[in-house]
PDB file of all heavy atoms in Angstrom:
ATOM      1  N   CYS K  66      15.924 -21.725   3.381  1.00 98.00           N
ATOM      2  CA  CYS K  66      15.330 -21.385   4.736  1.00 98.00           C
ATOM      3  C   CYS K  66      16.487 -21.137   5.681  1.00 98.00           C
ATOM      4  O   CYS K  66      17.363 -21.923   5.852  1.00 98.00           O
ATOM      5  CB  CYS K  66      14.454 -22.558   5.225  1.00 98.00           C
ATOM      6  SG  CYS K  66      14.292 -22.591   7.024  1.00 98.00           S
ATOM      7  N   LYS K  67      16.508 -19.922   6.335  1.00 98.00           N
ATOM      8  CA  LYS K  67      17.620 -19.530   7.194  1.00 98.00           C
ATOM      9  C   LYS K  67      17.354 -19.955   8.638  1.00 98.00           C
ATOM     10  O   LYS K  67      18.200 -19.673   9.513  1.00 98.00           O
ATOM     11  CB  LYS K  67      17.821 -17.986   7.090  1.00 98.00           C
ATOM     12  CG  LYS K  67      18.346 -17.574   5.704  1.00 98.00           C
ATOM     13  CD  LYS K  67      18.338 -16.083   5.549  1.00 98.00           C
ATOM     14  CE  LYS K  67      18.764 -15.689   4.107  1.00 98.00           C
ATOM     15  NZ  LYS K  67      18.476 -14.262   3.813  1.00 98.00           N
ATOM     16  N   GLY K  68      16.227 -20.613   8.954  1.00 98.00           N
ATOM     17  CA  GLY K  68      15.935 -21.119  10.246  1.00 98.00           C
ATOM     18  C   GLY K  68      15.612 -20.044  11.324  1.00 98.00           C
ATOM     19  O   GLY K  68      15.911 -20.237  12.480  1.00 98.00           O
ATOM     20  N   CYS K  69      15.013 -18.962  10.912  1.00 98.00           N
ATOM     21  CA  CYS K  69      14.701 -17.881  11.841  1.00 98.00           C
ATOM     22  C   CYS K  69      13.695 -18.250  12.873  1.00 98.00           C
ATOM     23  O   CYS K  69      13.702 -17.743  13.988  1.00 98.00           O
ATOM     24  CB  CYS K  69      14.202 -16.602  11.134  1.00 98.00           C
ATOM     25  SG  CYS K  69      12.649 -16.783  10.297  1.00 98.00           S
ATOM     26  N   GLY K  70      12.763 -19.186  12.546  1.00 98.00           N
ATOM     27  CA  GLY K  70      11.768 -19.636  13.503  1.00 98.00           C
ATOM     28  C   GLY K  70      10.513 -18.813  13.533  1.00 98.00           C
ATOM     29  O   GLY K  70       9.592 -19.040  14.393  1.00 98.00           O
ATOM     30  N   ILE K  71      10.382 -17.813  12.683  1.00 99.00           N
ATOM     31  CA  ILE K  71       9.154 -16.967  12.661  1.00 99.00           C
ATOM     32  C   ILE K  71       7.895 -17.851  12.350  1.00 99.00           C
ATOM     33  O   ILE K  71       6.880 -17.717  12.987  1.00 99.00           O
ATOM     34  CB  ILE K  71       9.294 -15.844  11.708  1.00 99.00           C
ATOM     35  CG1 ILE K  71      10.278 -14.812  12.255  1.00 99.00           C
ATOM     36  CG2 ILE K  71       7.948 -15.173  11.429  1.00 99.00           C
ATOM     37  CD1 ILE K  71      10.616 -13.659  11.333  1.00 99.00           C
ATOM     38  N   CYS K  72       8.102 -18.786  11.375  1.00 98.00           N
ATOM     39  CA  CYS K  72       6.918 -19.629  10.999  1.00 98.00           C
ATOM     40  C   CYS K  72       6.415 -20.401  12.236  1.00 98.00           C
ATOM     41  O   CYS K  72       5.214 -20.504  12.479  1.00 98.00           O
ATOM     42  CB  CYS K  72       7.303 -20.617   9.883  1.00 98.00           C
ATOM     43  SG  CYS K  72       8.771 -21.573  10.207  1.00 98.00           S
ATOM     44  N   ALA K  73       7.379 -20.965  12.998  1.00 98.00           N
ATOM     45  CA  ALA K  73       6.954 -21.739  14.149  1.00 98.00           C
ATOM     46  C   ALA K  73       6.325 -20.873  15.221  1.00 98.00           C
ATOM     47  O   ALA K  73       5.310 -21.220  15.842  1.00 98.00           O
ATOM     48  CB  ALA K  73       8.165 -22.455  14.760  1.00 98.00           C
ATOM     49  N   LYS K  74       6.858 -19.696  15.446  1.00 98.00           N
ATOM     50  CA  LYS K  74       6.343 -18.784  16.501  1.00 98.00           C
ATOM     51  C   LYS K  74       4.988 -18.239  16.102  1.00 98.00           C
ATOM     52  O   LYS K  74       4.105 -18.017  16.985  1.00 98.00           O
ATOM     53  CB  LYS K  74       7.319 -17.615  16.688  1.00 98.00           C
ATOM     54  CG  LYS K  74       6.916 -16.686  17.832  1.00 98.00           C
ATOM     55  CD  LYS K  74       8.072 -16.116  18.467  1.00 98.00           C
ATOM     56  CE  LYS K  74       7.589 -15.263  19.638  1.00 98.00           C
ATOM     57  NZ  LYS K  74       8.588 -15.018  20.624  1.00 98.00           N
ATOM     58  N   GLU K  75       4.745 -17.973  14.811  1.00 98.00           N
ATOM     59  CA  GLU K  75       3.502 -17.439  14.388  1.00 98.00           C
ATOM     60  C   GLU K  75       2.432 -18.437  14.139  1.00 98.00           C
ATOM     61  O   GLU K  75       1.197 -18.033  13.922  1.00 98.00           O
ATOM     62  CB  GLU K  75       3.696 -16.483  13.173  1.00 98.00           C
ATOM     63  CG  GLU K  75       4.488 -15.209  13.506  1.00 98.00           C
ATOM     64  CD  GLU K  75       3.875 -14.388  14.584  1.00 98.00           C
ATOM     65  OE1 GLU K  75       2.655 -14.243  14.640  1.00 98.00           O
ATOM     66  OE2 GLU K  75       4.643 -13.930  15.451  1.00 98.00           O
ATOM     67  N   CYS K  76       2.735 -19.673  14.095  1.00 98.00           N
ATOM     68  CA  CYS K  76       1.700 -20.700  13.876  1.00 98.00           C
ATOM     69  C   CYS K  76       0.831 -20.842  15.133  1.00 98.00           C
ATOM     70  O   CYS K  76       1.326 -21.305  16.196  1.00 98.00           O
ATOM     71  CB  CYS K  76       2.323 -22.037  13.509  1.00 98.00           C
ATOM     72  SG  CYS K  76       1.056 -23.302  13.330  1.00 98.00           S
ATOM     73  N   ALA K  77      -0.467 -20.497  14.993  1.00 98.00           N
ATOM     74  CA  ALA K  77      -1.290 -20.534  16.165  1.00 98.00           C
ATOM     75  C   ALA K  77      -1.615 -21.875  16.736  1.00 98.00           C
ATOM     76  O   ALA K  77      -1.948 -22.030  17.917  1.00 98.00           O
ATOM     77  CB  ALA K  77      -2.651 -19.767  15.841  1.00 98.00           C
ATOM     78  N   VAL K  78      -1.495 -22.888  15.852  1.00 98.00           N
ATOM     79  CA  VAL K  78      -1.793 -24.274  16.339  1.00 98.00           C
ATOM     80  C   VAL K  78      -0.559 -25.131  16.591  1.00 98.00           C
ATOM     81  O   VAL K  78      -0.659 -26.334  16.774  1.00 98.00           O
ATOM     82  CB  VAL K  78      -2.784 -25.032  15.352  1.00 98.00           C
ATOM     83  CG1 VAL K  78      -4.084 -24.259  15.265  1.00 98.00           C
ATOM     84  CG2 VAL K  78      -2.134 -25.094  13.939  1.00 98.00           C
ATOM     85  N   LYS K  79       0.598 -24.488  16.556  1.00 98.00           N
ATOM     86  CA  LYS K  79       1.901 -25.167  16.814  1.00 98.00           C
ATOM     87  C   LYS K  79       2.117 -26.364  15.896  1.00 98.00           C
ATOM     88  O   LYS K  79       2.605 -27.387  16.329  1.00 98.00           O
ATOM     89  CB  LYS K  79       1.950 -25.564  18.279  1.00 98.00           C
ATOM     90  CG  LYS K  79       1.868 -24.403  19.274  1.00 98.00           C
ATOM     91  CD  LYS K  79       2.575 -24.698  20.540  1.00 98.00           C
ATOM     92  CE  LYS K  79       2.923 -23.448  21.400  1.00 98.00           C
ATOM     93  NZ  LYS K  79       2.261 -22.194  21.070  1.00 98.00           N
ATOM     94  N   ALA K  80       1.816 -26.147  14.615  1.00 98.00           N
ATOM     95  CA  ALA K  80       2.059 -27.238  13.644  1.00 98.00           C
ATOM     96  C   ALA K  80       3.470 -27.273  13.185  1.00 98.00           C
ATOM     97  O   ALA K  80       3.954 -28.237  12.610  1.00 98.00           O
ATOM     98  CB  ALA K  80       1.133 -27.051  12.461  1.00 98.00           C
ATOM     99  N   ILE K  81       4.277 -26.187  13.499  1.00 98.00           N
ATOM    100  CA  ILE K  81       5.696 -26.170  13.129  1.00 98.00           C
ATOM    101  C   ILE K  81       6.490 -26.092  14.393  1.00 98.00           C
ATOM    102  O   ILE K  81       6.246 -25.279  15.290  1.00 98.00           O
ATOM    103  CB  ILE K  81       5.993 -24.947  12.234  1.00 98.00           C
ATOM    104  CG1 ILE K  81       5.171 -25.005  10.933  1.00 98.00           C
ATOM    105  CG2 ILE K  81       7.508 -24.930  11.891  1.00 98.00           C
ATOM    106  CD1 ILE K  81       5.374 -23.802   9.978  1.00 98.00           C
ATOM    107  N   THR K  82       7.523 -26.978  14.497  1.00 98.00           N
ATOM    108  CA  THR K  82       8.397 -26.882  15.670  1.00 98.00           C
ATOM    109  C   THR K  82       9.868 -26.781  15.120  1.00 98.00           C
ATOM    110  O   THR K  82      10.181 -27.282  14.082  1.00 98.00           O
ATOM    111  CB  THR K  82       8.297 -28.132  16.542  1.00 98.00           C
ATOM    112  OG1 THR K  82       8.217 -29.296  15.725  1.00 98.00           O
ATOM    113  CG2 THR K  82       7.135 -28.100  17.471  1.00 98.00           C
TER     114      THR K  82
END
Side-chain angles (χ1 to χ4, degrees):
Chain K
C66 155
K67 293 171 184 166
C69 66
I71 288 174
C72 52
K74 185 148 182 160
E75 290 304 319
C76 176
V78 298
K79 302 207 161 13
I81 301 178
T82 42

